[in-house]
Amino acid sequence: MAHRISKQKKEIASAGVKDLFTKTRELEDHIFQLRMQAKTGQLPSTAMMMLARKELARVKTAITAKAASAKRA
């Protein structure tokens, strides 16, 4: 699992800001779908919601970091 997370971090770090905003929107939609599945009792594992929220936080952090570095330059 640690290998998968480091791979995700590399993908996020190498992505452009527009790609990250697109990924943010996709993750927000995915989290919404997971929330609906949880409410209707169709979600197989609640851990999926936690993982999706963590990935969304990683993407938003990367966007903030790239914006800050662009501001400095």
Side-chain angles (χ1 to χ4, degrees), residues 11-21 63 66:
E11 289 175 3
I12 291 170
S14 65
V17 176
K18 288 184 180 182
D19 295 332
L20 292 175
F21 277 115
I63 290 171
K66 288 182 186 238

Side-chain angles (χ1 to χ4, degrees), residues 3-49:
H3 177 67
R4 186 175 69 120
I5 291 173
S6 64
K7 184 179 175 185
Q8 287 176 345
K9 286 182 181 180
K10 288 178 185 177
E11 289 175 3
I12 291 170
S14 65
V17 176
K18 288 184 180 182
D19 295 332
L20 292 175
F21 277 115
T22 303
K23 181 98 172 146
T24 300
R25 183 64 186 154
E26 290 172 1
L27 286 169
E28 287 172 347
D29 289 342
H30 183 64
I31 291 169
F32 177 77
Q33 291 172 357
L34 291 174
R35 198 177 324 131
M36 291 301 112
Q37 287 178 356
K39 292 292 182 184
T40 59
Q42 298 173 352
L43 187 64
S45 172
T46 56
M48 295 171 65
M49 290 180 65

